Amino acid sequence: MRINCPLCGHRDIREFYYLGAEDYLVRPAEGDLEATHEYLHVRKNPDGLTKDVWQHEAGCRAWLLVERNTATHEVLTVELIKPKKDILL
Amino acid sequence: MRYNAFNIFKEGLTGNKGWRPAWREPEPKPEYDMIIIGGGGHGLATAYYLAKNHGLKNIAVLEKGHIGSGNIGRNTTIVRANYFLPGNSEFYSHSLKLWETLETELNYNVMHSQRGVINLFHSDGQRDTFARRGNMMINQGDDAELLTKEAVREELPYLDFDNGRFPIYGGLFHKRGGTARHDAVAWGYARAADQLGVDLIQKCEVTGIDVLGGVVKGVQTSRGPIRAKKVGIVVAGRSSQVAEMAGLKVPIESHVLQAFVTEGLKPAIDHVVTFGMGHFYISQSDKGGLVFGGDLDSYASYAQRGNLPMMEHVMEAGMALMPAIGKAKVLRSWGGIVDMTPDGSFIIDKTEIENLYMDCGWCYGGFKAVPASGWCMAHLMAEDQPHEVAKRHTFERFKTGCGIMDEEGTGSQHNLH
Ligand SMILES: Cc1cc2nc3c(=O)[nH]c(=O)nc-3n(C[C@H](O)[C@H](O)[C@H](O)COP(=O)(O)OP(=O)(O)OC[C@H]3O[C@@H](n4cnc5c(N)ncnc54)[C@H](O)[C@@H]3O)c2cc1C
Ligand SMILES: [Zn+2]
C-alpha cells in the first residue's frame, strides 16, 4: 500500500500512522455520553469503500483523509485535513 | 462411528471401506429453535454446547462457505490461560480446562499439545510486570513460573541472549499452554454437534435478519428464508456486516493479522516462544513447519492479506531473536480478518433486539477461547442470562467506561490493540 500525500507525493505505507475511521472528524458536544461513545467506539466498519484518518508521521506530519477500499487495499483519494479547534488531531 | 484404535485397526485390514462422512449435509428446515450464524470454531462450539449442556434439539449452524474456511483455519493455534485482568482470567482459565478434556469430550484428536508457552522479558521493569502477571495466573488457579536467564537458556538454547537492543533477562513459563490442530477443532466440534442432531448447513450465506416489533423472527439466506426463535451472530471478522442486517452498529473494527510458515524441518523448537518487545512469536507444527507471526498491520481491512512492511518487521524480529531461523525458507504467508474491539477483549452479550445475541470481538486471540466461548454463548442463548465467567464481557462497558478490559494498558481505542 502506498499513500499519495498531497504534500510529499506517493510514499510507502510504513511512513504513515493510522488513527481510524473518519468518525474522528466530528467531535461530539461535551457531556453527550451517547455521542461520545459513538465517536470513540462504534464503527460502520465497511467491507469496501471507506474514509479514514492517517498522519504522514515520518514525512510532513500532515493529517490526511484517505478514501480507500478495505477489500482490495486500493487507495483512491487523499486530502489534507485542515486543523480545526473542535477536532482532536 | 466412534473413532478408536480398534476401528482404525479394523478399517486398515478391510481396505478402509467402512469410514463414513463425519457429518450429514442436511437441507435447511423452514424453522429452528436456535440458529447460529457462522460455522467457525465459536459457532460450532456454541451449537455443540446448546445441544450437549442444555439438551436442545432443533438447532442449525448456517455457514456461508464451508466449515473451517474462516479464521478457525487461519490462526497460529496457540492455546494459553495467561491473562491478567478479572473477566479475562476466569474465562480463559475455564477454556483451558475444557481444552484439557476436549479430545475425550468430542471423540476427536484435536492434537492439543501442552508444550508450554514462554514469554520472554528484557529488563528489570518487564520482569516485575511478568512476575505480577504470573501471580495473577497462580491466584486464578493456573500455572506460572518465573524463569531466570539461565533457566531460559536450558529450555531455549538457540536464542540470541545478548542481543544488543533486547538482551534476554528471563521468561514467564506457562507449562499448560501450548498448541492444537486448528482445523481439527472445527471438524471435531462439527462432527460432535452433528451427532447430537445439529444441522450444519454449509454454502448458506445469511443475507438478512428478520426483526418484527423489536423481536428477531428468522433470517434470509442464499438458500431461502428460515424462521427461528433465537438467533446468535458468531461471525468474527464479519460481525459489523451481519449486525447491520439487524440495524445494529457494533464497537468493532476489522483488521488484518498475518502469519507465516516455513518448510518442514526436524524438531527444533519445542515450546511456544513469544518475544513481545519485537512483536514476534513462534512454534513448530507437528509437520515440522515453523509457524510464526507478529502484530496487526494496523489499519481496517477485509483483504485477508497484509502488506510487506509488517512481513519485513516480523522477519527482522525473528532474526533478532533466533538468528538460526534465517536458514529456513518461508513457504506461505496469509492474513485473516480479525474483529478488534476498543479494549482488545471480546463481547458475549444480548443485543437491543430480543432473542438476538452476539459473540464477537475476538481480536487476534480467539482460538484458545473456542471451548469457553461456545460454552458461555450457549448458556446465554439457552438461559437468557450471561454465564458467570463471561458476565463482564458486555457491550455496555464501552458506553459507561466501567469494566473496560484493556490487558495491554494502552487505552480503549481501536487502533491501539
Ligand atoms: C493469522 C492469525 C493468527 C491467529 N493466531 C491465534 C492464536 O495463536 N491463538 C488464538 O487464540 N487465536 C488466534 N487467532 C484468532 C482466532 O483465529 C480467531 O479469533 C477465531 O478463529 C475467530 O472465531 P471463529 O473461529 O468463530 O471465526 P471464523 O472461523 O472466522 O468463523 C466465522 C464464520 O462466519 C462465517 N460467516 C461470515 N459471514 C456470514 C454470513 N453472512 N452468513 C453465514 N456465515 C457467515 C464465515 O464464513 C466464517 O466461517 C489468530 C487469527 C489470525 C487471523
Ligand atoms: Zn506528507
Side-chain angles (χ1 to χ4, degrees), chain A residues 1 12-14 17-19 21 24 34 37-38 40-47 54 68 70-73, chain B residues 238 240-241 249-254 298-303 305 307 309 312 342 398-399 413-415:
Chain A
M1 226 164 117
D12 189 286
I13 193 188
R14 75 191 76 204
Y17 166 75
Y18 169 82
L19 178 69
Y24 280 125
E34 191 65 40
H37 170 55
E38 299 266 326
L40 287 173
H41 306 129
V42 182
R43 293 291 173 259
K44 186 159 186 309
N45 193 21
D47 174 8
W54 297 67
R68 60 185 188 97
T70 58
T72 61
H73 292 166
Chain B
R238 299 270 168 198
S240 299
Q241 281 71 44
K249 266 178 103 185
V250 288
I252 286 180
E253 193 170 274
S254 295
S298 279
Y299 44 82
S301 168
Y302 287 86
R305 63 185 154 74
N307 269 289
E312 189 179 35
F398 300 107
K399 196 180 280 186
Q413 190 175 309
H414 286 289
N415 67 337

Side-chain angles (χ1 to χ4, degrees), chain B residues 37-44 62-80 83 204-207 234-238 242 245 256-259 281 334-339 359 362-370:
Chain B
I37 309 175
H42 295 248
L44 294 165
L62 310 182
E63 165 54 48
K64 75 170 176 184
H66 58 266
I67 297 298
S69 55
N71 278 352
I72 189 66
R74 287 173 174 263
N75 62 73
T76 45
T77 78
I78 293 159
V79 173
R80 57 187 165 86
Y83 283 72
C204 180
E205 177 168 1
V206 172
T207 52
V234 195
V235 293
R238 299 270 168 198
V242 179
M245 293 173 194
V256 53
L257 178 66
Q258 307 195 57
Y281 64 96
W334 64 94
I337 312 167
V338 295
D339 36 336
D359 171 307
W362 293 100
C363 301
Y364 34 72
F367 178 65
K368 68 182 88 69
V370 164

